[in-house]
Amino acid sequence: DTGVSQNPRHKITKRGQNVTFRCDPISEHNRLYWYRQTLGQGPEFLTYFQNEAQLEKSRLLSDRFSAERPKGSFSTLEIQRTEQGDSAMYLCASSSNRGQANEKLFFGSGTQLSVL
Amino acid sequence: QKEVEQNSGPLSVPEGAIASLNCTYSDRGSQSFFWYRQYSGKSPELIMFIYSNGDKEDGRFTAQLNKASQYVSLLIRDSQPSDSATYLCAVNNQGGKLIFGQGTELSVKP
């Protein structure tokens, strides 16, 4: 069990550029989540997948954000035309759902995005 | 009203004391409740979960749940400086996701 892996750990980009982050969940986990966290705040839900299906996307999420999980394993989160307000820690988490409501999410180390 | 609310702190306690962290939630249908610990610059780490009304103990940690009052708390006994971190309350509101509070910063002074 290697845990949830996220790459890159840090990303610095200029405003207007596109960025893509990758997340590899724990191998037997079928659910994968993306959260965003800014300093002094709790993680804010962005979207989640069960296998390859994207089941929910935050209503607050701009259409500049898109996520995929094409084969039900790793996932990518892309931000197009980045803005300074996108600067945050992007956290990926995974869980094993067996029809229970008792989700235990395990987080990766996150990708820290800085938009200049 | 936020879905999950916590006092942001900071909460400061002396070493060896009991730290009490509180959380309220708005969705009465919520079924499962979690406490995560987050050290500065690190990702959240699950430390406790509770599903039923009452208390659940694990070592120095006790989670308490009162669904009628929509209240969940975390007690840390014999607090140590290594417990200094931000504690995040999270609630599963019957959807597939966890909703997090803003976190309470705990500082344990030697």
Side-chain angles (χ1 to χ4, degrees), chain A residues 33 35 37 56 101 103 105 108, chain B residues 32 34 36 38 43 96-98:
Chain A
Y33 303 77
Y35 284 81
Q37 187 177 25
E56 187 174 349
E103 298 284 358
L105 269 60
Chain B
S32 35
F34 304 83
Y36 283 79
Q38 187 173 28
S43 59
K97 62 183 184 289
L98 293 189

Side-chain angles (χ1 to χ4, degrees), chain A residues 89-109:
Chain A
M89 174 73 81
Y90 288 83
L91 293 164
C92 176
S94 69
S95 72
S96 176
N97 170 265
R98 292 185 175 87
Q100 298 175 348
N102 306 332
E103 298 284 358
K104 300 182 186 72
L105 269 60
F106 297 90
F107 284 87
S109 299

